[in-house]
């Protein structure tokens, strides 16, 4: 295994870091409310970073999402790449790729996903879908939504053909409630598409969680190094050091498991168990890190307007989105026991 970024991946990561750092400031994010930051999304797409994922692969996407997570930038990067660009590239027909990928790559056609909990949507023989998905992150921004039916088949639905009602989440992810009532959908991929797309999404959002945790920890380190108590920085206290060290190790574990799962997918290796491992660490360790980040800020961490609170909200939202740790661990155990580790 070699997780060293290629020259292209490193250049894309560095460019993303500059864009997120320049545009996704705490002041701008506070002014954006719960919706998406259209200016930041436009800048990312104009720089070619969304389209570049087709060449840099899932590992390249994870590197970009880490940079997004550090600033909690409100853009549908993970969703549109995991459920749109990578899903259509891997499982779309030649006609679908030719028709859909240009718009997804330039950001004019955002794609979101209703994939994590199949069962609420049914498809008839004519490819018309019925059912309700209570919460779909980034639905309010999307031109298309990738839907999994109760048979774990994937369908691409135009949001203009469905009913989409706004839903507010803990984190500002421009989410919505999706209602399908005989809504037309076009199939994407075969019987193996669902497992691959789900594993890809888990890996991508684990990478996003790594960035959220890194940003939370960086703020905590800065605070404890500058805040003094009894004439000494808080960072000089052993209890603070131990809490920060644990958070650092958790963050690195989330990062390396996400890297491994992404690298294996890019190399064409089985990665279903690795994606679940990354999701488990992102869920279990992620919530520990953002709690620690808020706790290390002391009373300041209780301020809902403080930037560290955004990391706390994002970390807990990603924890819920990826599935609680015990559920993910059970799925991982069942997959290992079945011996069917390939996606």
């Amino acid at each position: 295994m070699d997780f060293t970024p290629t020259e292209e991946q490193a250049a894309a990561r560095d460019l993303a870091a500059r864009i997120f750092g320049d545009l996704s400031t705490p002041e701008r994010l506070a002014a954006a409310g719960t919706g998406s930051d259209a200016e930041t999304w436009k800048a990312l797409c104009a720089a070619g970073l969304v389209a570049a994922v087709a060449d840099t692969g899932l590992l390249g996407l994870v590197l970009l999402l880490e940079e997004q997570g550090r600033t909690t930038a409100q853009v549908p990067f993970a969703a549109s790449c995991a459920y749109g660009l990578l899903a259509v590239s891997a499982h779309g027909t030649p006609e679908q790729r030719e028709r859909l990928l240009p718009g997804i790559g330039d950001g004019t056609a955002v794609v979101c996903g209703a994939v994590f909990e199949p069962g609420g949507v049914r498809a008839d023989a004519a490819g018309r879908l019925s059912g309700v998905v209570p919460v779909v992150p980034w639905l309010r921004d999307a031109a298309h939504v990738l839907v999994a039916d109760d048979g774990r088949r994937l369908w691409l639905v135009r949001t203009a053909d469905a009913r989409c009602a706004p839903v507010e989440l803990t984190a500002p992810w421009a989410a919505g409630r999706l209602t399908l009532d005989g809504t037309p959908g076009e199939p994407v991929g075969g019987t193996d598409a669902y497992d691959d797309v789900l594993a890809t999404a888990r890996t991508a959002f684990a990478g996003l969680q790594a960035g959220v945790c890194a940003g939370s920890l960086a703020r905590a380190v800065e605070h404890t190094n500058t805040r003094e108590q009894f004439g000494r920085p808080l960072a000089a206290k052993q209890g603070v050091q131990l809490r920060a060290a644990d958070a650092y190790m958790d963050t690195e574990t989330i990062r390396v498991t996400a890297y491994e799962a992404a690298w294996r997918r890019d190399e064409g290796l089985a990665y279903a168990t690795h994606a679940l491992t990354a999701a488990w660490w992102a869920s279990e360790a992620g919530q520990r890190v953002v709690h620690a980040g808020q706790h290390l800020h002391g009373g300041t961490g209780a301020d809902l307007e403080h930037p560290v609170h955004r990391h706390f909200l994002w970390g807990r939202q990603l924890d819920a989105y990826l599935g609680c740790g015990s559920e993910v661990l059970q799925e991982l155990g069942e997959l290992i026991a079945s011996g069917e580790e390939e996606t």
Side-chain angles (χ1 to χ4, degrees):
M1 293 180 292
D2 183 4
F3 304 149
T4 304
T6 64
E7 183 177 341
E8 184 179 15
Q9 289 170 338
R13 178 196 60 198
D14 294 344
L15 178 57
R18 289 198 297 272
I19 293 173
F20 286 129
D22 290 343
L23 296 181
S24 296
T25 62
E27 296 76 18
R28 276 178 51 86
L29 292 172
T34 62
S36 295
D37 185 341
E39 184 177 346
T40 300
W41 182 242
K42 182 178 179 180
L44 291 167
C45 296
L49 290 175
V50 178
V53 172
D55 298 319
T56 60
L58 183 54
L59 181 56
L61 175 59
V62 166
L63 293 170
L64 297 177
L65 293 176
E66 272 194 85
E67 300 307 324
Q68 179 188 354
R70 292 179 199 275
T71 61
T72 61
Q74 293 172 199
V75 291
F77 209 147
S80 202
C81 287
Y83 301 123
L85 192 75
L86 293 178
V88 173
S89 295
H91 302 288
T93 64
E95 187 277 330
Q96 286 175 324
R97 293 196 292 270
E98 182 179 0
R99 171 167 49 90
L100 297 169
L101 289 180
I104 299 172
D106 66 22
T108 56
V110 171
V111 181
C112 64
V115 171
F116 268 79
E117 296 182 6
V121 174
R122 301 170 307 281
D124 64 18
R128 294 189 173 274
L129 309 176
S130 299
V132 176
V133 184
V135 177
V136 182
W138 307 109
L139 181 64
R140 302 198 313 253
D141 294 337
H144 298 88
V145 54
L146 190 67
V147 177
D149 66 16
D150 54 1
R152 297 196 170 194
R153 294 168 298 177
L154 295 178
W155 305 84
L156 199 63
V157 175
R158 293 197 320 147
T159 53
D161 296 332
R163 295 202 303 274
C164 306
V167 171
E168 296 301 336
L169 301 180
T170 303
W173 286 2
R177 176 186 177 91
L178 178 69
T179 302
L180 305 171
D181 186 9
T183 306
E186 58 176 306
V188 176
T191 56
D192 62 336
Y194 173 81
D195 289 336
D196 178 59
V197 170
L198 180 60
T200 297
R202 281 171 165 157
T203 305
F205 281 95
L208 183 59
Q209 182 76 300
V212 170
C213 291
S216 175
L217 183 57
R219 292 190 182 279
V221 169
E222 180 182 9
H223 175 80
T224 55
N225 273 293
T226 56
R227 180 80 169 180
E228 292 190 355
Q229 188 178 63
F230 305 118
R232 299 177 64 199
L234 290 174
K237 297 182 179 296
Q238 188 179 48
V240 171
Q241 294 171 3
L242 291 173
R243 191 79 190 274
D246 286 342
Y248 174 78
M249 292 304 297
D250 274 337
T251 300
E252 288 301 296
T253 306
I254 298 169
R255 176 182 289 116
V256 75
T257 52
Y259 282 9
E260 181 178 11
W263 176 83
R264 290 183 66 88
R265 181 191 188 275
D266 292 343
E267 292 295 313
L269 302 172
Y271 74 109
T273 55
H274 301 81
L276 279 165
T277 301
W280 183 81
W281 276 105
S283 177
E284 285 286 290
Q287 57 91 11
R288 287 199 299 265
V289 173
V290 295
H291 273 273
Q294 195 165 27
H295 187 204
L296 289 172
H297 277 76
T300 306
D303 182 0
L304 302 185
E305 303 300 320
H306 194 281
V308 77
H309 189 65
R310 295 182 59 85
H311 291 272
F312 175 77
L313 295 179
W314 276 65
R316 292 314 308 261
Q317 188 66 58
L318 283 163
D319 169 29
Y321 186 61
L322 288 166
C324 75
S326 58
E327 292 175 339
V328 176
L329 195 61
Q330 178 181 349
E331 186 177 346
L332 175 59
E334 291 173 350
L335 183 58
I336 292 174
S338 71
E340 299 176 0
E341 297 187 36
E342 297 208 13
T343 58

